[in-house]
Amino acid sequence: RTHCYMILFSGKKGAAHYVDDQLVQIPPYSVLFIGPDRNSRFSTTPFESTHVLVFSSLFFNRTPRDAHSLANNPLFHNFGPVYVLTPPDESVIYCKTLAYLLHTAKKDIENSLGQDLAHNIIQQILIMGSIYGNKMEHHTFEISKEQALVLAYQKSVKENFREQVTVRFYADLLNVSERQLSNATKKNLGLTAKDVITQYIMEEARWQLAHKVDSIKEISLNLGFSEEHNFSAFFKKNERMSPLQFRKKQQNLAGSKKN
């Protein structure tokens, strides 16, 4: 289980993958979409020509448009349905080309060209999903009451984490106890309820440090911290480097892309 997105390409013999401990059979030359925080593992059976692309929101969200596209994409779910895209026969060559390019990007992912290629492939796949969305097969995963609670919690945190950082606020909002909420997130996400809040703050902090020109002080205020040093201590505790070190690292990566 990782807080990342996964896209799996099957080859000519198809593939199989476990999502939330349920086996999903993937037809030949098809694409499986797995959202963040899902429990995912490979089948023990080897499948020829299967390619896997795993990416984070920090990697994909180069622009606000990217961020909006990913956050609102109906193909990725934390719980509930899992989507498999099997393009029409006339698009199989195109899908084979994407798989080949994915393999190429994988070999060069440490340099700028590989990263740009991987980003471009993701964009194309999301566009394909929009085009063929009404023809996609989906596997129904029944959502439990606990999972529904976790989804409601994640939605509330996403909307309010800049102003509200206590588990009690969200527990009261959802009419459950703090223990009940934390037990639900721990069971379904592998995180405590407090960890979920931290995760959202850190995800936004990383993005702003990487892609905005605002000062660290301005970013800390934007994220709801009253003092810059409080934000710096929080960020270093969770990232093992200071906000300034993280920003310089991202700038160096961006600089290498231009060279």
Side-chain angles (χ1 to χ4, degrees), residues 113-171:
L113 291 178
Q115 293 175 24
D116 289 344
L117 181 56
H119 186 272
N120 183 267
I121 291 171
I122 297 169
Q123 287 181 316
Q124 290 186 63
I125 296 168
L126 297 186
I127 292 171
M128 285 177 60
S130 299
I131 293 172
Y132 298 115
N134 61 336
K135 299 177 181 178
M136 270 195 284
E137 175 186 359
H138 75 276
H139 297 258
T140 302
F141 287 65
E142 186 176 345
I143 298 179
S144 67
K145 289 184 178 180
E146 265 194 348
Q147 290 173 332
L149 172 61
V150 172
L151 284 174
Y153 177 55
Q154 289 178 311
K155 182 176 184 294
S156 297
V157 173
K158 184 177 181 179
E159 293 172 350
N160 298 286
F161 70 85
R162 288 177 176 81
E163 293 81 30
Q164 301 293 341
V165 295
T166 66
V167 175
R168 171 169 288 189
F169 169 84
Y170 297 100

Side-chain angles (χ1 to χ4, degrees), residues 198 201-210 216 219 223 225 228-247 250:
T198 298
I201 296 172
M202 287 299 298
E203 187 172 318
E204 181 63 20
R206 293 186 193 100
W207 189 87
Q208 291 198 28
L209 288 166
I216 292 175
I219 290 174
L223 293 173
F225 290 85
E228 181 182 342
H229 67 85
N230 292 336
F231 168 65
S232 295
F234 172 86
F235 189 91
K236 189 170 185 178
K237 177 182 177 182
N238 290 283
E239 191 68 22
R240 299 187 181 278
M241 66 177 71
S242 70
L244 182 58
Q245 289 171 325
F246 181 85
R247 170 167 272 178
Q250 297 302 312

Side-chain angles (χ1 to χ4, degrees), residues 10-105:
S10 65
K12 62 182 179 181
K13 294 184 179 180
H17 197 81
Y18 285 92
V19 181
D20 296 341
D21 295 322
Q22 295 190 47
L23 183 63
V24 177
Q25 296 287 351
I26 310 167
Y29 302 118
S30 297
V31 184
L32 171 68
F33 299 89
I34 304 175
D37 297 321
R38 296 203 86 141
N39 194 349
S40 168
R41 62 186 173 89
F42 293 96
S43 165
T44 55
T45 306
F47 289 89
E48 183 182 352
S49 302
T50 296
H51 301 274
V52 180
L53 176 59
V54 180
F55 64 96
S56 67
S57 57
L58 179 63
F59 174 81
F60 181 74
N61 294 343
R62 297 183 174 187
T63 66
R65 181 178 180 180
D66 288 341
H68 182 269
S69 168
L70 188 60
N72 295 281
N73 196 288
L75 301 175
F76 297 105
H77 293 271
N78 289 351
F79 307 110
V82 174
Y83 288 93
V84 177
L85 169 61
T86 303
D89 293 341
E90 58 268 23
S91 298
V92 168
I93 294 178
Y94 173 71
C95 290
K96 286 182 179 180
T97 302
L98 283 183
Y100 169 77
L101 291 173
L102 174 61
H103 181 68
T104 303

